[in-house]
Amino acid sequence: MFPIVLAAVSAVAFGTADFSGGKASRRADPVSVTVVSQLLSVPLLLALVLVVPGTPHTVDLVWGLFAGVAGAAGVVLLYRALAGGMMAVVAPVTAITAALVPIVAGLFTAHSPGTLPLCGAGLAVLAIALVSLGEGGISGAVSPRVVGMALCAGALFGVFFALLGQADEDAGMWPVLAVRVSSIGFGVALAARTGVSLRLGPRVLGWAAAAGLLDSAANALYLAAASRGHLSIVAAIAALYPASTVLLALAVDRERLRPAQIAGLGFAAGALVLASL
């Protein structure tokens, strides 16, 4: 029961972090928001490394470093999509794509994904088509560009989870710290190349801090749940994190969904569960 609770709390934290990052990115450049939010989460990660026992090997840190680059690129794209379209649509599309990456990879390897994940993949295609139906206007806009960014972000998150999953369980939180080191380095380099300032106003800084801290806390909760419970169950519960993003977008931003989009969100939840099995 305890691992299920941890996975559920991690899902809420992940979804709320995405909502916070999206709100910040509507007032500042997503690259700046990404870098600053991750910098602000470093003290929390250092504390977790000291509290959670672990002995990493070099290969564990290497996996974390590579995963960090993929994750940082995915976050930048996600924040751009959240800032430019409906959060209630972008979040599920991203999550579905992230879940589909290992399924697609399995089709090209000797390890078949299985019947249920393949059914989830088919359901995901229908879900993406339905939730992408917007009515126009700022609150209902779901342009092909926004959907494309959400799909790319999800693919990068799928790569992130695949790479991070190669780290040994005995490494503790060290691979996650390596993720943050490389993601911050990638973000700083991207900001320097594009000429983006890392200065954020007080109001934006609050949202960015919430995004970074909640994301790091969610990673820690998920790792704790996965190490104590059955991975398929834990992953299925954690994969429902877009629910909190959607609920916050509907409650705080008053986003409105068409009936077809609501049906698409239901299909998205089913697709995420099936894809995680």
Side-chain angles (χ1 to χ4, degrees):
M1 184 64 182
F2 187 55
I4 294 177
V5 174
L6 289 174
V9 177
S10 75
V12 174
F14 273 129
T16 308
D18 287 348
F19 176 80
S20 301
K23 292 288 286 186
S25 297
R26 288 179 175 176
R27 298 178 174 89
D29 191 280
V31 176
S32 302
V33 174
T34 300
V35 175
V36 173
S37 65
Q38 295 187 354
L39 282 171
L40 293 173
S41 70
V42 170
L44 175 60
L45 284 175
L46 291 175
L48 289 173
V49 167
L50 295 176
V51 172
V52 179
T55 305
H57 298 287
T58 302
V59 66
D60 298 320
L61 299 178
V62 171
W63 285 122
L65 291 172
F66 280 115
V69 174
V75 169
V76 171
L77 287 173
L78 173 62
Y79 286 177
R80 288 195 186 279
L82 290 172
M86 294 181 68
M87 293 189 187
V89 171
V90 172
V93 170
T94 302
I96 290 173
T97 312
L100 291 182
V101 168
I103 296 176
V104 174
L107 294 175
F108 296 95
T109 65
H111 303 286
S112 174
T115 302
L116 289 178
L118 288 176
C119 290
L123 196 60
V125 175
L126 176 60
I128 292 173
L130 290 175
V131 300
S132 300
L133 297 174
E135 293 181 332
I138 186 63
S139 64
V142 192
S143 68
R145 179 174 176 271
V146 170
V147 174
M149 286 191 293
L151 291 171
C152 291
L156 287 167
F157 288 149
V159 173
F160 166 82
F161 286 120
L163 292 174
L164 190 59
Q166 302 302 313
D168 194 279
E169 294 181 4
D170 296 332
M173 294 296 296
W174 284 98
V176 179
L177 183 60
V179 165
R180 189 59 78 238
V181 169
S182 63
S183 64
I184 290 175
F186 174 84
V188 170
L190 183 60
R193 182 177 179 82
T194 56
V196 173
S197 172
L198 297 182
R199 291 186 177 182
L200 300 178
R203 191 175 181 183
V204 179
L205 191 62
W207 285 114
L213 293 173
L214 285 168
D215 181 68
S216 295
N219 281 321
L221 288 167
Y222 178 77
L223 287 176
S227 63
R228 290 171 171 79
H230 198 285
L231 184 59
S232 62
I233 298 176
V234 168
I237 295 173
L240 296 176
Y241 70 87
S244 55
T245 308
V246 171
L247 291 175
L248 285 169
L250 296 178
V252 177
D253 290 343
R254 298 291 191 268
E255 290 187 356
R256 294 185 299 275
L257 297 174
R258 298 173 62 183
Q261 290 176 306
I262 296 175
L265 293 178
F267 287 134
L272 287 171
V273 173
L274 292 174
S276 301
L277 297 179

